[in-house]
Structures are given as structure tokens and as C-alpha cells.
Amino acid sequence: MMKLLDGKVAIVTGAARGIGAAIALKLAEQGAHVAFTYVSDGSAEKASSLVAEIEKLGVKAKAYKANAGDFAACETFVNEVVATFGTVDICVNNAGISKDNLLLRMTPEQWDEVMETNLKSVFNMTKQVIRPMMKARSGSIINMSSIIGIRGNAGQSSYAASKAGIIGFTKSIAAEIGSRNIRCNAIAPGFIETDMTHYLNEGEAGKAFLDKIPLGRFGKADEIANTTLFLASDLSSYITGQVISACGGLNI
Ligand code: NAP
């Protein structure tokens, strides 16, 4: 049976764990070859077990240690992917961090780190992947924003600014490259159970958020992977420049 992404080549940044890992697996299940990145030495083992898991699905997989916030590292990474896999059809810019702090206490270093990892990374990667995509006259770029980028949240000004920046970038790039049949969309997840949000399961903060989620639960990484699959595949062939919220209806 034909799968949604048979023979496509997908890149996922920050996929050793969390939402990125679920996305890498989901795209592979649908027939895509997957190249993914991580950044810390501590994730090398997780990355190689994910490669093994993906290969069992009968597609190619490769993990790269590459800092998505570093322009030169992204250039090298994408060049290596094109040399190894032939092209890039799908790019999921998922790598991200949060360094939450009230503005009064936030240091310029904390601000810069969040901006580089979350926002500059999207510029770094998109600039590289549009070259093979323009050659192929097709492609889908998916940027991981956040509901916080739409609504803001006390204590998360840098994170919110970076995620809002991703939305402006996504809409602009969609306008620039639509004529080449390259689509660019963003996903705005709500609270998804991963290492990034482990604190939600502890105590009052978590309960307070739950009360604001109409579906009455936190989301799962696999649910964001499903949204990503939709945007990566031809199921969304007439959708570009959009932000899809996958947040259980969260209203903060
Ligand atoms: P996570 O569990 O903390 O995983 C983040 C992944 O990104 C890790 O694999 C990490 O690599 C990688 N990463 C971090 N900095 C990187 C860099 N500079 N270069 C390359 N990779 C890097 O986070 P998550 O919850 O899955 O979040 C994934 C994305 O979804 C992020 O952009 C996040 O902002 C967004 N998001 C998450 C939620 C949520 O509720 N969880 C909600 C909205 C949006 P290592 O493993 O090597 O550290």
C-alpha cells in the first residue's frame, strides 16, 4: 500500500527526544527517510536507538550532532544530508529550548540563547533547505512555534518572542517561495507532555493550566507528530503560510 511520504527525504531538528522524536518516527512510518539532529552529548545514545528504531521500518535514518542555532553547522548538516540522501523534501524546524524568567531577572545571555536556538535556527535551516527544494520545485517546511508565541505568558517573554518571530518568518517565507511550489507552515502546540514541560505534572501550576484546557488534558508528542504529518504530506497541498494550533483548545 502507498504511504503518505513514500521515498521522501525529511529533516527534523532536535529529534533525540520529545516532540521531535515522535515526528521523526511518524514520518518514517509513512515511508520517509529521516535525517535528524540533536545537540548534547547526553542525547547521543537516545539518537542512535531512534536511528535503529526508524531503520526497522525499512527506511534510511541518520542522526547528526549539530547546533541548530549555528549557521555554519546547519550549512554543513544540510550539505551532508543532500550528499547522503540526494535531496530534502521536508524540513521540520523543531529544535527549541526555554529559559523562563521574569524580565526583571532575565539576563541578555538568556535572551540570546533562546533567540538563537528557537528563532535563528529556523532562519539557518530554511535558508539551506530551500536550495534543494527549489531545484525539485517542491517542498514542505514546518516550523514549531507555540501557543505561547500567540498569546504570551508571564515569565516567558523570550520564549514567546522567539515563537512569535517564527510565525512572522513562516508567513513571509510562504509568500516568497510559494511560486516554487514550496509550502511553509507553523504549528502552535499547547502543553505537550515532554521533558520541557515535566513541571506541569508537579503541583499547582499544572492543575491551573489543566483547568484552562477544554479537552481536559495535556497533549502527547504523537498528537503533534500527526499535525506535522498532515503538513508534511500532500494532504495539505493547498495550505501555506498558516499556523495550526494543536492545544486542546487552550485559552490562557
Ligand atoms: P524537549 O523534550 O526539551 O526536546 C528538545 C529537543 O531539541 C532535544 O532533542 C534537544 O536536543 C533539541 N535541541 C535543543 N537545542 C538544540 C539545538 N541548539 N540544536 C539542535 N537541537 C537542539 O522539547 P519538546 O517539548 O519536545 O519541544 C520541541 C519543540 O516544540 C520546541 O521547539 C518547543 O519550543 C516546542 N513546543 C513544545 C511544547 C511543549 O509543551 N512541550 C509546547 C509548544 C511548543 P538534546 O536532546 O541534544 O538536548
Side-chain angles (χ1 to χ4, degrees):
M1 205 180 83
M2 279 288 284
K3 293 177 177 167
L4 285 170
L5 305 176
D6 265 335
K8 300 278 185 200
V9 176
I11 281 177
V12 187
T13 63
R17 53 200 171 91
I19 293 171
I23 292 171
L25 259 181
K26 179 76 62 182
L27 302 184
E29 278 166 11
Q30 288 297 325
H33 307 295
V34 179
F36 69 88
T37 64
Y38 62 98
V39 73
S40 47
D41 288 331
S43 286
E45 227 167 90
K46 276 188 187 145
S48 33
S49 25
L50 183 60
V51 167
E53 206 177 337
I54 292 175
E55 283 175 341
K56 274 194 213 138
L57 297 166
V59 294
K60 288 184 238 160
K62 201 161 176 199
Y64 298 80
K65 184 168 183 269
N67 178 358
D70 179 329
F71 185 78
C74 291
E75 187 174 24
T76 307
F77 165 55
V78 174
N79 284 341
E80 280 184 37
V81 173
V82 172
T84 310
F85 294 78
T87 188
V88 180
D89 300 295
I90 296 154
C91 177
V92 185
N93 291 314
N94 166 78
I97 54 167
S98 55
K99 295 265 154 179
D100 298 346
N101 216 340
L102 293 173
L103 183 60
L104 277 173
R105 296 197 199 110
M106 190 177 294
T107 65
E109 291 74 22
Q110 286 172 334
W111 172 272
D112 288 345
E113 198 184 339
V114 169
M115 283 301 171
E116 282 208 355
T117 307
N118 294 7
L119 182 57
K120 188 171 175 230
S121 60
V122 178
F123 160 77
N124 292 343
M125 288 298 302
T126 305
K127 195 164 159 65
Q128 299 304 328
V129 298
I130 61 170
R131 285 183 294 115
M133 289 179 176
M134 280 164 69
K135 222 191 237 175
R137 292 196 73 81
S138 108
S140 177
I141 298 163
I142 297 142
N143 298 325
M144 208 51 71
S145 179
S146 167
I147 203 75
I148 303 300
I150 298 172
R151 297 179 176 276
N153 195 23
Q156 293 201 286
S157 60
S158 58
Y159 184 78
S162 70
K163 295 300 186 179
I166 286 177
I167 293 174
F169 180 84
T170 299
K171 294 184 179 206
S172 307
I173 296 308
E176 281 186 31
I177 58 182
S179 63
R180 317 291 182 108
N181 194 34
I182 305 170
R183 300 183 292 110
C184 184
N185 292 288
I187 299 175
F191 292 101
I192 311 302
E193 287 171 1
T194 67
D195 295 343
M196 189 181 268
T197 50
H198 61 89
Y199 66 91
L200 289 175
N201 293 325
E202 299 156 8
E204 292 307 309
K207 275 197 218 111
F209 281 124
L210 264 186
D211 286 343
K212 294 177 175 149
I213 304 173
L215 290 183
R217 61 176 179 83
F218 299 120
K220 305 231 174 296
D222 190 57
E223 296 179 294
I224 303 306
N226 280 331
T227 313
T228 307
L229 172 62
F230 170 68
L231 289 173
S233 75
D234 283 345
L235 290 177
S236 59
S237 52
Y238 201 52
I239 299 178
T240 196
Q242 304 304 305
V243 186
I244 298 189
S245 292
C247 62
L250 178 74
N251 190 13
I252 53 172

